[in-house]
Amino acid sequence: MIRSIVFLGFAAATVNAQGCSVCGDGKQVGNPDAIFAFPGQPAVPCGLLQNAGEIGAIPISQCAFLPPLLGACECQPATSETTPAPVSPAPVIPDTLAPIVDPTPAPVDPTAAPVDPTAAPV
């Protein structure tokens, strides 16, 4: 089960429309860096397990038995996932007193005179 979670967490090609909370309804992982280990399965960070549940990579039937096993993940009541974006005023660029230079016509010849090639080193 966990191997498929890890695989689907990285390659979410087929995503179930309904996700689940691995901690149970109304709860979320409190320690996403903690490691969830289940006998016979590879260890998985709790944050990855939570993400796999949210995107539908864990079948709903398997989500139901996970909450009692996730002690290391420190499940806690879910908080709002949206946080207000920090708002700061846009920087004001003062007017410059420097003159505006007309663009240079392209292409520009890099030399005023032809350059004589030199012999390559032997």
Side-chain angles (χ1 to χ4, degrees):
M1 174 185 86
I2 301 300
R3 289 177 199 196
S4 64
I5 292 169
V6 172
F7 175 74
L8 290 174
F10 290 112
T14 57
V15 174
N16 186 353
Q18 292 183 334
C20 67
S21 171
V22 294
C23 285
D25 289 338
K27 294 185 178 180
Q28 68 183 15
V29 168
N31 186 358
D33 297 325
I35 302 297
F36 171 69
F38 192 77
Q41 301 294 329
V44 178
C46 294
L48 179 61
L49 190 65
Q50 176 175 280
N51 186 46
E54 290 172 351
I55 65 170
I58 300 175
I60 303 259
S61 61
Q62 292 181 1
C63 256
F65 78 83
L66 284 175
L69 304 174
L70 299 178
C73 295
E74 301 175 14
C75 293
Q76 61 188 16
T79 58
S80 174
E81 290 192 26
T82 58
T83 57
V87 177
S88 59
V92 176
I93 301 171
D95 290 335
T96 179
L97 298 176
I100 298 174
V101 180
D102 290 333
T104 306
V108 176
D109 188 11
T111 61
V115 177
D116 294 327
T118 59
V122 180

